[in-house]
């Protein structure tokens, strides 16, 4: 895995259920896998100062972000006995209720996928330069604070 060039993890707009389903479906025939775990980050319709979030517009320093995603991926493969991993993040506008982050891990063992997924999602939130502008129903906006 070490010599792989970082690939882009970004998808324009929301990550659809069809995309998620197809990504998972590809692993059905791998008989060495005993467990899968999935994290789906969904845009919340938070109420902030009496205004409701309608969408988030995601932007990123793409080259730097792809490198960080790659580093997180490599660290997870080094730390955990994983068979495979997918990470995808949205760019552009994602409406409340839609998926903006999809992380999928597989391993021969159940416990590993829970630990690995927690490690990966926490690293993404802490280290990857992806920024969200919350767009409210009244069309005003503010930069999102990670939560």
């Amino acid at each position: 895995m070490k010599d792989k060039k970082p690939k882009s993890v970004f998808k324009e707009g929301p990550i659809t259920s069809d995309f998620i389903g197809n990504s998972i479906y590809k692993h059905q025939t791998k008989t060495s896998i005993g467990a899968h775990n999935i994290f789906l980050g969904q845009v919340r319709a938070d109420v902030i100062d009496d205004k409701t979030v309608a969408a988030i517009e995601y932007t990123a320093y793409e080259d730097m972000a792809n490198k960080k995603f790659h580093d997180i991926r490599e660290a997870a493969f080094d730390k955990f006995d994983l068979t495979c991993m997918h990470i995808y993040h949205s760019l552009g506008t994602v409406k409340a209720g839609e998926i903006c982050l999809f992380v999928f891990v597989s391993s021969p063992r159940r416990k590993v996928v829970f630990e690995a997924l927690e490690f990966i999602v926490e690293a993404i939130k802490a280290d990857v330069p992806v920024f969200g502008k919350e767009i409210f129903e009244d069309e005003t906006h503010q930069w999102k604070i990670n939560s």
Side-chain angles (χ1 to χ4, degrees), residues 25-43:
Y25 177 77
K26 295 174 187 176
H27 300 285
Q28 272 184 218
T29 59
K30 295 184 179 179
T31 58
S32 63
I33 296 173
H36 304 285
N37 202 2
I38 299 166
F39 175 84
L40 300 175
Q42 180 172 316
V43 173

Side-chain angles (χ1 to χ4, degrees), residues 5-65:
K5 181 183 177 212
K7 69 172 190 157
S8 179
V9 302
F10 292 110
K11 306 273 306 151
E12 190 63 37
I15 300 169
T16 66
S17 56
D18 285 344
F19 181 84
I20 294 164
N22 288 335
S23 297
I24 295 166
Y25 177 77
K26 295 174 187 176
H27 300 285
Q28 272 184 218
T29 59
K30 295 184 179 179
T31 58
S32 63
I33 296 173
H36 304 285
N37 202 2
I38 299 166
F39 175 84
L40 300 175
Q42 180 172 316
V43 173
R44 294 184 308 266
D46 286 344
V47 177
I48 302 167
D49 297 330
D50 296 323
K51 297 192 285 186
T52 302
V53 173
I56 298 178
E57 183 182 331
Y58 289 100
T59 59
Y61 296 114
E62 288 188 53
D63 289 342
M64 186 186 304

Side-chain angles (χ1 to χ4, degrees), residues 95-128:
K95 294 177 184 173
E98 295 179 325
I99 303 300
C100 57
L101 175 61
F102 167 47
V103 181
F104 173 71
V105 294
S106 301
S107 174
R109 302 281 176 256
R110 169 186 50 84
K111 187 174 181 180
V112 171
V113 295
F114 291 109
E115 294 170 352
L117 195 62
E118 178 74 14
F119 171 84
I120 293 163
V121 172
E122 290 302 320
I124 290 168
K125 295 297 273 181
D127 297 335
V128 179

Side-chain angles (χ1 to χ4, degrees), residues 133-146:
K133 182 169 50 175
E134 293 171 312
I135 303 168
F136 298 104
E137 288 176 339
D138 68 0
E139 298 184 15
T140 60
H141 65 273
Q142 73 176 18
W143 288 102
K144 180 173 176 27
I145 299 168
N146 268 348

Side-chain angles (χ1 to χ4, degrees), residues 1 3-11 19 23 26-27 62-71 73-74 77 85-89 102:
M1 306 287 314
D3 12 343
K4 280 190 176 180
K5 181 183 177 212
K7 69 172 190 157
S8 179
V9 302
F10 292 110
K11 306 273 306 151
F19 181 84
S23 297
K26 295 174 187 176
H27 300 285
E62 288 188 53
D63 289 342
M64 186 186 304
N66 279 316
K67 172 75 169 91
K68 285 288 189 181
F69 277 117
H70 179 77
D71 292 347
R73 177 184 172 80
E74 293 305 310
F77 271 107
M85 177 190 322
H86 296 278
I87 302 173
Y88 293 97
H89 199 294
F102 167 47

